[in-house]
Amino acid sequence: MQRPPGLLRPLPAILALLALVLTFAACGGSSNNVPDTHQLITQAQAAIQKVHSYHFNLAVDNPGTGAALIIKTADGDVLVPDKLKASANVLVFGNVVQVQLITIGDKQYVTDPITNQWMHTSGLLDPRTLSDPKTGIAAILGHIQNPSTPTDANVDGKSCWSIDGTLDAKYLAGITGGGAPAGTMDKINTCIGKSDKLPYVIKITGIAAPGDTGKTARTIKLSQFNENLTITAPIP
């Protein structure tokens, strides 16, 4: 028996609708694909090595007490490869004071918290180690162990991929000056920009310097990449 023509008509429409749904699904999925973790970290290493300047914000919670001058917070700029200028709150014999910091090559300067006069110092953040691919930010990223699958996040409104992992504290010596017991492993989180593959934040939790505890946390935010900067030495 011949089937009525009306029963055949919906089939092409159903197939067309199914194809349209699959097309939209494919388009939506491609925009939300999670990148490969190791490839993303490699891209971030390459991106930060091409940067010639950036703004940074450092915050240290529960810092150790093993140094005479301990940075609690610092906000400033780095001019790659060897210049840094920042305002900082530091612990000096248990008291928090505000100082200005400048590093140019192997010369480091800090303002006296009482007289506000510049004087020579040592043991500050060294922009040369931060810029060095073997000791700096790129090295920290490259030595993350057991990195997690990237998850969607943002830093100050900028979209990024968040990755958790662990890191041998020896790779933090460029930031902390070293001093953690050999083999110490810290927790690390980084968030890598979706659009530019630059690391927007690096947070390290654990012992990375003398006097630190498992609750010590150092958070470094990076922003304002490749702006024009001038940093000159003060007159002590």
Side-chain angles (χ1 to χ4, degrees):
M1 182 177 66
Q2 187 175 6
R3 186 172 297 177
L7 296 179
L8 297 177
R9 289 183 192 139
L11 184 57
I14 292 172
L15 292 176
L17 179 61
L18 180 60
L20 186 62
V21 169
L22 291 175
T23 299
F24 279 125
C27 292
S30 64
S31 63
N32 294 320
N33 282 344
V34 176
D36 175 78
T37 303
H38 296 285
Q39 182 180 12
L40 184 61
I41 290 174
T42 299
Q43 291 172 331
Q45 288 181 279
I48 194 65
Q49 286 298 297
K50 295 178 182 178
V51 166
H52 63 73
S53 70
Y54 57 86
H55 185 80
F56 76 92
N57 179 276
L58 168 66
V60 185
D61 297 316
N62 305 306
T65 57
L69 187 147
I70 301 167
I71 297 176
K72 280 278 293 176
T73 64
D75 188 83
D77 300 294
V78 170
L79 186 58
V80 178
D82 63 350
K83 294 181 175 66
L84 177 150
K85 183 177 182 179
S87 298
N89 288 314
V90 301
L91 280 173
V92 180
F93 303 115
N95 298 309
V96 177
V97 297
Q98 188 173 54
V99 297
Q100 304 298 313
L101 312 173
I102 290 179
T103 297
I104 298 179
D106 61 354
K107 306 295 183 182
Q108 297 185 349
Y109 309 87
V110 63
T111 54
D112 184 295
I114 298 176
T115 66
N116 208 36
Q117 297 297 307
W118 287 100
M119 57 185 182
H120 291 280
T121 189
S122 61
L124 302 181
L125 291 171
D126 190 334
R128 295 171 299 174
T129 59
L130 292 175
S131 304
D132 191 320
K134 296 181 180 179
T135 61
I137 295 171
I140 291 173
L141 294 172
H143 287 97
I144 295 176
Q145 298 183 29
N146 304 312
S148 65
T149 300
T151 58
D152 185 71
N154 77 83
V155 174
D156 297 331
K158 299 182 70 174
S159 296
C160 55
W161 293 110
S162 179
I163 298 173
D164 293 312
T166 57
L167 182 76
D168 192 315
K170 68 182 180 181
Y171 296 112
L172 299 172
I175 296 174
T176 66
T184 299
M185 300 301 295
D186 294 330
K187 296 178 181 178
I188 184 169
N189 169 267
T190 186
C191 213
I192 298 171
K194 292 185 178 182
S195 61
D196 54 20
K197 302 302 184 291
L198 286 165
Y200 295 161
V201 66
I202 297 173
K203 181 177 182 179
I204 302 104
T205 304
I207 299 170
D212 284 354
T213 70
K215 294 183 178 180
T216 303
R218 294 173 172 85
T219 303
I220 306 168
K221 286 186 177 181
L222 306 179
S223 61
Q224 301 175 32
F225 299 98
N226 293 323
E227 293 191 351
N228 292 324
L229 298 176
T230 300
I231 298 176
T232 57
I235 301 176

